[in-house]
Each structure stands twice: as structure tokens, then as C-alpha cells.
């Protein structure tokens, strides 16, 4: 046996997709167990039983169908927000402006809901959603164009535009969109007029025995569809390939003929469209109006959820649901235990850290196995090209001895 044939030992063969799936799944389980263990230690130091604390979180999230529906409703805007962040991450772009983009989209959607009341039936709702998408896209195009034309960093421009978006919402509520139907002699919180029923997104909770208080609407399946479409865009389409190439090495992508500026603008527009749908849960489902005390910080929470889901559109869906379970469990902690609600925030932070660290370790192990397999295949190919003792031609001396 030649020394070459034993120089490299290939790891056990598995389909690449199966190896990646198993590796990432194990990484997620290990990260979750580590986070639970660290959280249990914190609970013990606080003087509570970890089983009681985690039990309260799970019971409050899954005690009945309405609770489950509430969890999914909480997860809906987080999915849109995290997808908006992740699509830019693929090209090495850091879109912190999802917060401002969804605020502007709420203004444009509210305008469409009030100004297009003459549209019949479902067309009114579709026009409102389209207005939200366009509002997010237009506001996302600003930092994209600035980056491509002037080189202004998207982190700086998007942070500044977030502040501008707050002023836009304030101006709209105090000016053109201010309510007009306040009852005489009564004070009403600053808001727009209540939208017509045709502008609202229908609820689907009754189809699954979920109460209306859960606010589970068509936006949740729309978020799932958006995640699948984004996965297809990233993995199967040209724009996704170009985005991954730019994210891996902008110089190599430019040398390969990819128009980096065009890719960056397109990704920002896709991100803005997804960001525009982030605020529709509260505007078109929960409130039926744009109110002054709207739920903010959804854009920044989306960054955390994107990290937790490792910027994978399918992983983001599960990460958003897990985040919603913990958020829903805050109330359970206050009712059934003495642990403060801040414990949930700590647990969410620990989850992000452990997932990022463990996933990086898993990626390195998978990369090492792929290098070993490639080396083994190269060694096998060289062995096949080198003739053995049987195939080696006889030397002249050997032939003369035979004669």
C-alpha cells in the first residue's frame, strides 16, 4: 500500500445540505441549553426556583389557543423587521434605519387609509399595504443613494434618518392627519381618525379557536410568505448571489463584473419594503389608527432577532416566535413569581450571545470538515492518476532475465 493512499482520511460522507442542517440544529440546541443554564443560575442567585420561573413563562405563552395566537401576533412585526435587517446583512450592509422606515410607512399607510376610502372592498386594504411598502422603500432609498453616490456610511445616515422619521410622525399627527371626528367636549389622545373597516387587515384567529384579543391576522401568514420569498431570493436568484458575493468580498465581486452600487440600492429597496410592513400589525390590526403612543423600537428589536436567527430567513421566523414567547412570558413572571421582568431581557441577551458564539464554532467545524473532504478527494484523484506496480512497464533488465 502506498503512503499516498493513507495520507488523508476523509470524514464520513453526508449530503452537504444534511450536514449543514444537522450542524446548525445542534448548535441551536446547545446554545439554547447554555442560555437556559446561565438563566437558571441567575434565578437561583435571586432566590427563586428555575423550574417555577420557566414554567410561568411557558404557561403564559401556551395555556390556551388565544395565548398561542398572541405569541404569533407579537412575532409578526418582528419577522418583517428582522428580514429587513437580514437582507442588507447579506451584502455587508448594516441597515439600522428599519426603525425610521417603518415609522414613515405607518404615516403613508395612514394617509392611504383615510384618503382612499372610496376604494371598494379588499382593494382598499391592498392599497394601504402598498402605500406602506412604498413609504418604506422611498425612505430606505435615501441612505442607499447617499452611500452609492457619496460613500456616506449607512450606519450614520440611517441613525440620523431615524430621528427625522420621529419628526415626520409628529408632524403628521399634529397636521394633515390629525383627527377630525372627536366628540364635542371630550379630549381624545392625539391620533388620526379611525380607519374604515375595508382598510384593516382581517383577523384569522377565529379559524383556529383563537380569541379576537390575540389580534392574529393575515399579516402572520404574509410574514411567513415573505420569509420564504426572501430565502428564494438569497439562495436561488441572481440578486441573492450578487449580494452574497459583495458581502464576502466587494473587491472580488467588482472584478467579477458585479455592479456593487446597483446591488446595494436594490437590497435597500427590498429591506425598505419589508420594513414598511413592520408597523402594520398595530396600525391596521390592533389600533385601526395611527396613535401618538405607538409601539416603537421594533426596528432595533429586529436587529436582535436577525442575529438570533443568524440572518437566515427561515431561522428568523423561529427566532421571532421564541422572542415573542419570552416577551409574552414577562406578564407571567410578574403574576406568578417574584422575579422582575428584566430577567426576560437578560435571558434574551444571553440567547443572542450564545447563539452567535456557538454558531461561529459550528461554522468553523463544518468548514474544516469540508476542507478535509476536499483534500481526501484530491488525494484519491492523484492516486487514480499514478500507475501502480501492476501497471508499471517492465524494465529492460527484467525482460532480459526472463529471456
Amino acid at each position: 500500500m502506498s503512503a499516498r493512499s493513507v495520507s488523508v482520511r476523509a470524514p464520513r460522507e453526508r449530503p452537504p445540505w444534511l450536514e449543514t442542517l444537522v450542524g446548525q440544529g445542534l448548535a441551536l440546541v446547545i446554545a439554547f441549553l447554555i442560555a437556559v443554564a446561565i438563566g437558571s443560575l441567575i434565578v437561583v442567585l435571586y432566590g427563586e426556583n428555575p423550574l417555577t420561573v420557566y414554567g410561568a413563562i411557558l404557561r403564559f405563552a401556551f395555556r390556551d389557543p388565544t395565548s398561542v395566537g398572541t405569541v404569533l401576533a407579537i412575532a409578526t412585526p418582528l419577522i418583517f423587521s428582522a428580514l429587513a435587517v437580514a437582507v442588507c446583512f447579506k451584502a455587508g450592509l448594516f441597515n439600522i434605519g428599519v426603525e425610521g422606515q417603518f415609522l414613515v410607512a405607518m404615516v403613508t399607510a395612514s394617509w392611504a387609509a383615510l384618503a382612499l376610502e372610496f376604494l371598494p372592498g379588499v382593494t382598499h386594504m391592498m392599497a394601504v399595504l402598498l402605500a406602506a411598502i412604498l413609504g418604506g422603500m422611498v425612505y430606505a432609498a435615501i441612505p442607499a443613494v447617499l452611500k452609492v453616490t457619496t460613500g456616506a456610511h449607512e450606519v450614520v445616515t440611517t441613525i440620523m434618518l431615524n430621528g427625522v422619521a420621529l419628526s415626520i410622525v409628529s408632524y403628521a399627527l399634529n397636521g394633515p392627519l390629525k383627527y377630525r371626528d372627536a366628540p364635542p367636549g371630550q379630549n381624545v389622545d392625539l391620533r388620526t381618525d379611525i380607519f374604515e373597516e375595508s382598510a384593516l387587515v382581517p383577523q384569522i384567529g377565529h379559524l383556529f379557536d383563537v380569541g379576537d384579543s390575540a389580534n392574529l391576522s393575515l399579516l402572520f401568514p404574509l410574514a411567513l410568505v415573505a420569509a420564504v420569498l426572501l430565502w428564494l431570493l438569497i439562495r436561488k436568484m441572481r440578486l441573492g448571489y450578487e449580494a452574497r458575493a459583495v458581502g464576502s468580498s466587494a473587491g472580488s465581486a467588482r472584478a467579477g463584473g458585479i455592479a456593487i452600487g446597483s446591488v446595494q440600492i436594490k437590497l435597500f429597496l427590498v429591506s425598505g419594503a419589508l420594513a414598511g410592513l413592520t408597523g402594520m400589525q398595530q396600525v391596521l390590526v390592533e389600533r385601526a389608527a395611527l396613535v401618538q403612543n405607538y409601539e416603537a423600537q421594533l426596528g432595533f428589536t429586529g436587529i436582535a432577532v436577525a442575529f438570533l436567527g443568524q440572518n437566515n430567513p427561515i431561522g428568523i421566523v423561529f427566532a421571532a416566535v421564541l422572542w415573542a414567547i419570552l416577551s409574552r412570558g414577562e406578564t407571567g413572571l410578574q403574576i406568578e413569581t417574584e422575579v422582575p421582568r428584566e430577567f426576560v431581557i437578560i435571558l434574551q441577551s444571553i440567547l443572542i450571545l450564545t447563539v452567535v458564539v456557538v454558531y461561529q464554532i459550528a461554522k468553523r467545524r463544518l468548514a474544516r470538515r469540508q476542507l478535509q473532504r476536499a483534500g481526501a478527494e484530491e488525494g484519491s484523484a492523484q492516486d487514480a492518476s499514478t500507475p501502480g506496480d501492476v501497471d508499471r512497464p517492465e524494465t529492460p533488465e527484467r525482460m532480459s532475465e526472463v529471456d
Side-chain angles (χ1 to χ4, degrees), residues 113-174:
L114 296 172
L116 304 179
E117 294 178 347
F118 58 88
L119 292 176
V122 70
T123 57
H124 190 193
M125 180 196 70
M126 295 176 63
V128 174
L129 292 177
L130 180 60
I133 292 173
L134 292 176
M137 292 176 67
V138 170
Y139 209 63
I142 299 175
V145 172
L146 288 175
K147 180 176 182 64
V148 172
T149 57
T150 68
H153 201 285
E154 69 275 7
V155 172
V156 177
T157 55
T158 52
I159 288 177
M160 296 175 67
L161 287 170
N162 286 342
V164 175
L166 292 172
S167 299
I168 292 175
V169 175
S170 178
Y171 165 75
L173 289 176
N174 286 278

Side-chain angles (χ1 to χ4, degrees), residues 14 16-32 90 231 235 308-316 318 354-356 358-367 370:
R14 288 178 183 169
W17 66 268
L18 179 60
E19 184 171 351
T20 302
L21 181 63
V22 171
Q24 292 182 350
L26 289 176
L28 179 61
V29 172
I30 293 173
F32 184 77
K90 291 299 180 180
W231 184 87
R235 306 302 304 181
L308 189 59
Q310 288 295 290
N311 296 318
N312 183 299
I314 308 303
I316 282 173
F318 293 99
T354 54
V355 166
V356 170
V358 175
Y359 261 75
Q360 289 301 318
I361 296 174
K363 285 182 179 179
R364 292 178 182 179
R365 286 181 59 86
L366 289 172
Q370 292 172 356

Side-chain angles (χ1 to χ4, degrees), residues 6 37 68 74 112-113 120 167 207 228-229 303 340:
V6 296
V68 176
I74 295 173
S167 299
L207 300 176
V228 174
L229 292 178
I303 298 175

Side-chain angles (χ1 to χ4, degrees), residues 312-396:
N312 183 299
I314 308 303
I316 282 173
V317 173
F318 293 99
V321 172
L322 176 59
W323 197 277
I325 290 171
L326 296 176
S327 299
R328 172 72 172 167
E330 289 184 10
T331 306
L333 288 181
Q334 298 175 5
I335 294 176
E336 300 185 14
T337 71
E338 298 297 327
V339 176
R341 62 181 296 272
E342 284 74 18
F343 170 75
V344 170
I345 301 176
I346 295 174
L347 186 60
Q348 290 170 336
S349 303
I350 295 173
L351 264 175
I352 295 172
L353 291 175
T354 54
V355 166
V356 170
V357 172
V358 175
Y359 261 75
Q360 289 301 318
I361 296 174
K363 285 182 179 179
R364 292 178 182 179
R365 286 181 59 86
L366 289 172
R368 186 162 57 247
R369 287 179 63 88
Q370 292 172 356
L371 287 175
Q372 290 175 353
R373 183 178 294 111
E377 292 175 353
E378 183 179 355
S380 301
Q382 292 177 356
D383 287 341
S385 63
T386 303
D389 294 337
V390 176
D391 300 326
R392 185 174 299 141
E394 298 286 353
T395 62

Side-chain angles (χ1 to χ4, degrees), residues 240-279:
Y241 166 76
E242 292 177 340
R244 288 182 282 120
V246 172
S248 298
S249 175
S252 300
R254 183 181 291 106
I258 296 176
I260 296 179
S262 175
V263 172
Q264 291 174 336
I265 290 178
K266 291 176 183 177
L267 292 179
F268 257 105
L269 292 178
V270 174
S271 178
L274 293 167
L277 296 173
T278 299

Side-chain angles (χ1 to χ4, degrees), residues 38-77:
I38 297 176
S40 300
L41 178 61
I42 296 175
V43 172
V44 170
L45 293 176
Y46 194 81
E48 287 279 348
N49 187 342
L51 295 179
T52 302
V53 172
Y54 289 129
I57 294 176
L58 294 177
R59 278 194 301 273
F60 215 75
F62 299 105
R63 61 182 179 180
D64 53 43
T66 300
S67 297
V68 176
T70 302
V71 168
L72 299 181
I74 295 173
T76 299

